Amino acid sequence: MKTPLHVFKIGGHVLDDETSLQQFAAAFARVAGPKILVHGGGKGASELLHNLGIAPQMVQGRRITDAATLDVVTMFYAGKTNKQLVALLQASSVPALGLSGADGNAIRASRRPVREVDYGFVGDLAAGSINTDLLRGLLNMNLVPVLCAITHDGAGQLLNTNADTIASAIAQAMAGSYAVTLHFCFEKDGVLADANDEQSVIRRITPDEYAQLKADGVVSAGMVPKLDNAFAALTAGVEAAVIENALKINEPIKTVLCRS
């Protein structure tokens, strides 16, 4: 029987508010067994870009990353956000180790080809992108890897990569060795049937139901990458995938995604 492994991704307002981040760290500390945490950058990166006179550009929930934006998001994601999060986890007695994709060759990506949109220095992941030997080694040392959304191409170029995609890729890569549950955590209790009703959590979604929700416009923008990546992970052998509130990960209210 495979050992359970929990792969968490956090982002959104949770990263923007230190009190919420402290509450998440305390809840995360109560999750037993091996675990990995992936984080994005929250709104702080966009605010810093604005302050520096750089206009953030987003297409379908994904950031366009020119050279100046890459410098800023690298500083913010791999620096301030990662280390602040690691410090808060340490304060909750979680033996966290902060990493970018370049550290230990943890995550190697390739620059996204220019098609309808030029995303700039954005990285795409492929089979073999995740250094599973490194992650298994850290987990065997009872460390908790905390990975930001900065990857590298193996030739010296850093790349901005969607954190939802990273979490899904890690879950899939580790599924050969562990019984993996993938958690996408943000400020809501799950996927909402009505964006204006916090109580309208959809408790269970199948691929067919997801297609209908997208067609109806119930899910859009930033929620689409989460759900796309979660369903891809289920198809690739991940045991379970959930969308939940980062402050309520130990509670039963959440959206569970199903293979059929």
Side-chain angles (χ1 to χ4, degrees):
M1 181 179 294
K2 293 179 181 178
T3 300
L5 170 66
H6 294 274
V7 177
F8 287 84
K9 186 269 176 176
I10 61 168
H13 297 304
V14 178
L15 286 172
D16 299 325
D17 181 73
E18 187 169 349
T19 299
S20 295
L21 208 51
Q22 289 172 337
Q23 291 174 351
F24 168 78
F28 184 76
R30 295 195 293 273
V31 176
K35 49 198 174 186
I36 295 171
L37 179 58
V38 178
H39 68 85
K43 292 183 178 179
S46 293
E47 291 174 357
L48 181 56
L49 285 165
H50 275 301
N51 292 340
L52 293 172
I54 303 169
Q57 300 178 69
M58 304 289 287
V59 176
Q60 296 181 338
R62 309 214 182 230
R63 187 184 298 279
I64 292 178
T65 307
D66 59 16
T69 300
L70 179 65
D71 285 346
V72 173
V73 297
T74 298
M75 289 186 289
F76 199 83
Y77 297 171
K80 180 181 184 296
T81 304
N82 188 264
K83 299 316 169 192
Q84 179 185 34
L85 181 51
V86 166
L88 289 172
L89 290 169
Q90 295 287 355
S92 292
S93 300
V94 175
L97 179 66
L99 300 167
S100 73
D103 295 307
N105 191 31
I107 310 169
R108 185 174 294 196
S110 58
R111 183 170 173 173
R112 180 172 299 171
V114 177
R115 296 190 178 96
E116 294 85 2
V117 177
D118 181 357
Y119 283 93
F121 293 99
V122 164
D124 287 332
L125 306 183
S129 292
I130 306 301
N131 187 340
T132 53
D133 288 341
L134 172 69
L135 295 180
R136 279 196 300 267
L138 296 174
L139 294 172
N140 288 339
M141 294 170 64
N142 295 318
L143 293 171
V144 176
V146 180
L147 293 134
C148 71
I150 300 299
T151 60
H152 76 129
D153 68 356
Q157 179 63 58
L158 295 173
L159 296 165
N160 182 23
T161 300
N162 181 269
D164 295 327
T165 302
I166 290 174
S168 178
I170 289 173
Q172 293 175 51
M174 301 300 283
S177 304
Y178 298 87
V180 180
T181 298
L182 175 60
H183 304 254
F184 284 119
C185 306
F186 67 143
E187 62 273 8
K188 307 293 184 181
D189 288 347
V191 180
L192 302 180
D194 180 353
N196 298 314
D197 182 2
E198 298 289 339
Q199 306 303 313
S200 65
V201 177
I202 305 172
R203 298 298 189 95
R204 179 181 182 275
I205 301 177
T206 66
D208 287 344
E209 290 166 341
Y210 174 43
Q212 189 61 53
L213 290 169
K214 280 201 293 188
D216 293 342
V218 175
V219 294
S220 59
M223 183 57 68
V224 170
K226 291 179 176 57
L227 290 167
D228 283 349
N229 283 296
F231 279 114
L234 290 175
T235 301
V238 171
E239 293 283 330
V242 298
I243 311 290
E244 61 192 339
N245 192 316
L247 308 186
K248 301 178 181 179
I249 59 177
N250 307 114
E251 299 179 19
I253 299 176
K254 58 194 68 187
T255 298
V256 177
L257 307 181
C258 307
R259 291 187 179 86
S260 61

